[in-house]
Amino acid sequence: MIEDEPTIAAAVAARLRAEGFDVEIASDGLGGVALCQRLRPDLVVLDLMLPGLDGLEVCRRIQRDRQVPVLMLTAKDSETDLEVGLGVGADDYLTKPFSPRELVARVRAVLRRSEASRDGEATRNGELIRVGDVLLDVPRMRAEVAGRRVELTPTEFQLLATLAAQPGRIFTRSQLLDAIHGVAFESYERAI
């Protein structure tokens, strides 16, 4: 949690801890960025108005390293503030004052969406595969790990995509060879 008002930080942390969450608190933007880099949290509850770096810049910086779900808390309730917050990478937005129950419900909802993505759920009709910090853009044959591009040969990419599409599944050698040859054949057909 990144919140500069000690009363709010303590109350939110206490409520989340009572619901079974582990909570660490930073009281300013720079401290929040450093905390996120050190702990790699599953979710960040982020105040928009912070000393040092504002919440928007904090959100940009923590999203640059890796995609982490962000629930923004703010006293600002204009539609423009909402659009900007969501535009820089926040997953949800809650205005102060807020109900502790609603906060917990939103935290759980954001985590559910994030966990489904991390667990290997294919998105955009199978074009993207995300498993943990690995993101595969199948049509473009591009791979990223923790937001950084990784160069792979077509064979390496296809092997990785085959394995990532079904985490936990055991493949035989022939199944993996079929996956590789399927890509080679498709590439050959496109070239003709």
Side-chain angles (χ1 to χ4, degrees):
M1 173 168 201
I2 307 170
E3 170 64 62
D4 65 326
E5 294 182 40
T7 307
I8 292 174
V12 169
R15 179 59 187 240
L16 290 172
R17 286 179 182 128
E19 296 290 330
F21 295 102
D22 293 325
V23 181
E24 296 290 331
I25 301 171
S27 59
D28 62 56
L30 286 171
V33 171
L35 186 68
C36 288
Q37 289 172 340
R38 186 170 47 88
L39 296 179
R40 300 183 56 84
D42 294 325
L43 177 131
V44 176
V45 177
L46 174 63
D47 185 20
L48 186 60
M49 296 171 29
L50 294 166
L53 297 176
D54 69 14
L56 297 175
E57 183 59 25
V58 170
C59 191
R60 282 186 198 99
R61 289 188 185 192
I62 63 176
Q63 297 288 5
R64 192 179 312 148
D65 292 337
R66 73 179 182 100
Q67 293 296 310
V68 59
V70 174
L71 171 61
M72 245 180 212
L73 299 179
T74 183
K76 296 182 175 186
D77 62 354
S78 78
E79 194 171 299
T80 302
D81 293 322
L82 171 66
E83 289 176 29
V84 171
L86 296 174
V88 298
D91 295 273
D92 203 353
Y93 194 94
L94 191 58
T95 57
K96 298 175 185 176
F98 52 85
S99 154
R101 282 188 196 161
E102 182 179 4
L103 173 73
V104 171
R106 287 177 183 254
V107 164
R108 289 188 194 285
V110 170
L111 284 171
R112 267 194 315 272
R113 289 191 300 268
S114 173
E115 287 168 4
S117 178
R118 268 198 314 265
D119 288 343
E121 177 182 276
T123 58
R124 283 198 313 178
N125 299 321
E127 292 179 0
L128 295 179
I129 300 171
R130 182 184 305 272
V131 179
D133 286 343
V134 176
L135 176 65
L136 303 175
D137 184 339
V138 177
R140 293 172 189 81
M141 294 186 75
R142 291 186 181 167
E144 291 180 6
V145 177
R148 292 197 171 93
R149 180 97 186 263
V150 176
E151 296 298 326
L152 299 173
T153 66
T155 301
E156 291 168 335
F157 182 88
Q158 188 54 37
L159 278 171
L160 182 58
T162 300
L163 296 168
Q166 298 179 53
R169 178 178 170 195
I170 298 172
F171 290 87
T172 65
R173 182 178 188 274
S174 64
Q175 288 170 325
L176 292 174
L177 288 172
D178 287 345
I180 295 168
H181 294 301
V183 168
F185 185 71
E186 287 174 21
S187 299
Y188 175 75
E189 283 183 326
R190 278 190 227 130
I192 294 179

